[in-house]
Amino acid sequence: MIPDVHDVILLAEEAGRMISSGYSKVDDKDSKDNHVTDMDVTIQKFLRKELCELLPGSSFIGEELDQQDVSGEYHWIVDPIDGTTNFIRHIPASVTSIALAHNDEIIMGVVFNPHTNEMFYAVKGEGSFKNGKKINVSLKPIENAIYATSWGAYDKSQSHCAFRVSEKMYNICEDIRRLGAAAYELCKMAEGSIDVYFEPILYPWDHAAGGFILTEAGGFIDGIDGKPSLTGRAPYIAANCPESLEIIRKIVKEEY
Ligand code: LIP
């Protein structure tokens, strides 16, 4: 049976307490700009054990430790700390992101920011919630939109395109934000604080839970060539309404 979302929330809260206790070691990953702390690894090990116990037979994909098992009907997709650079630099935007997929479809998402005590969650067909209150995307048209993005810090080969997209969007929208944690940015879209979004490179653990919470809150997601998959890295586009989605998708396509 599918676990109760409140049991997953309890695990996210425990992960949050671990984030709040800090870290003692930082290593570089595939580039000098991409880091992992001992706490990313500790939280992932904890969540893998607890989540797989919560749903016997489920498999697990996590950002760290090359854990990428999608065998079986159900699998968890986890980023123990999304926004690791923020975490290292004491910028209060690092979250734990947990999604549950049934085959190729997300059916549950939980994202917790322990610095601000924001608990976002959604279960398929039931809408999205923040700290127990239902949330929805904004109704803002693109000319009043806040656009959030990144320029692909871990692989700067795509950065020039993303900067050109930013310039075009800056001229159309109200302003730009870069929070540095994709899962958190997608949840801030779900509650209407951000309206349009593009990242040149995202992995499933960055977007699975946040993107699901966004769509359950009425938002829209896409990629350049079809919907972002739950395996592999790809560009990621999101908006509060179909009209803005079409505009950002067109601009991204022009620049890639
Ligand atoms: C990061 C994101 C960030 C994005 C990076 C990366 P990490 O996750 O949340 O917003 O721009 O590409 O995926 O590495 O901190 O877990």
Side-chain angles (χ1 to χ4, degrees):
M1 198 169 96
I2 312 281
D4 189 316
V5 69
H6 294 97
D7 290 331
V8 181
I9 287 172
L10 290 178
L11 295 176
E13 283 172 347
E14 184 53 35
R17 281 189 280 278
M18 293 160 93
I19 289 178
S20 301
S21 72
Y23 61 93
S24 44
K25 189 168 170 279
V26 182
D27 287 314
D28 291 345
K29 297 209 284 189
D30 49 346
S31 91
K32 71 168 180 54
D33 307 310
N34 189 3
H35 314 295
V36 57
T37 71
D38 54 334
M39 190 51 77
D40 293 68
V41 173
T42 303
I43 294 174
Q44 181 160 314
K45 285 181 179 163
F46 163 75
L47 287 176
R48 183 184 185 200
K49 178 178 173 296
E50 297 292 328
L51 291 167
C52 292
E53 270 176 28
L54 212 50
L55 183 55
S58 57
S59 53
F60 184 95
I61 302 180
E63 180 179 10
E64 316 302 344
L65 299 167
D66 210 12
Q67 289 180 337
Q68 314 254 344
D69 177 9
V70 287
S71 59
E73 216 180 325
Y74 291 96
H75 63 274
W76 300 96
I77 305 173
V78 168
D79 194 343
I81 305 180
D82 184 46
T84 299
T85 301
N86 285 343
F87 174 57
I88 294 167
R89 301 298 194 101
H90 308 290
I91 296 167
S94 48
V95 301
T96 294
S97 172
I98 304 171
L100 176 61
H102 179 227
N103 298 319
D104 286 338
E105 191 189 17
I106 310 285
I107 55 170
M108 185 186 291
V110 173
V111 173
F112 182 49
N113 181 345
H115 312 284
T116 53
N117 242 326
E118 292 169 288
M119 178 66 78
F120 298 92
Y121 55 95
V123 175
K124 191 160 179 51
E126 295 180 14
S128 291
F129 296 82
K130 172 179 162 180
N131 297 346
K133 279 196 172 160
K134 202 159 195 310
I135 52 172
N136 289 104
V137 292
S138 81
L139 297 173
K140 292 200 185 277
I142 196 120
E143 60 269 26
N144 303 122
I146 295 293
Y147 171 58
T149 190
S150 91
W151 301 277
Y154 304 161
D155 173 3
K156 294 193 167 96
S157 63
Q158 302 296 315
S159 298
H160 59 291
C161 310
F163 276 110
R164 287 204 300 266
V165 173
S166 293
E167 187 173 4
K168 286 190 173 174
M169 289 299 286
Y170 187 64
N171 286 318
I172 297 173
C173 299
E174 182 176 313
D175 208 342
I176 297 184
R177 294 290 183 274
R178 155 70 165 152
L179 304 187
Y184 188 47
E185 287 165 310
L186 292 167
C187 289
K188 295 308 271 183
M189 283 190 84
E191 69 165 355
S193 305
I194 292 169
D195 314 295
V196 188
Y197 181 82
F198 165 62
E199 287 237 21
I201 300 165
L202 273 193
Y203 287 87
W205 44 78
D206 297 315
H207 64 72
F212 175 69
I213 291 167
L214 171 62
T215 53
E216 280 290 321
F220 298 83
I221 59 175
D222 212 341
I224 295 189
D225 300 310
K227 294 265 178 248
S229 86
L230 295 182
T231 52
R233 64 177 221 175
Y236 196 91
I237 296 166
N240 61 336
C241 60
E243 296 77 15
S244 295
L245 188 78
E246 200 38 52
I247 292 168
I248 178 71
R249 188 172 39 201
K250 186 167 171 283
I251 291 174
V252 169
K253 279 200 160 193
E254 280 164 10
E255 297 303 341
Y256 273 72

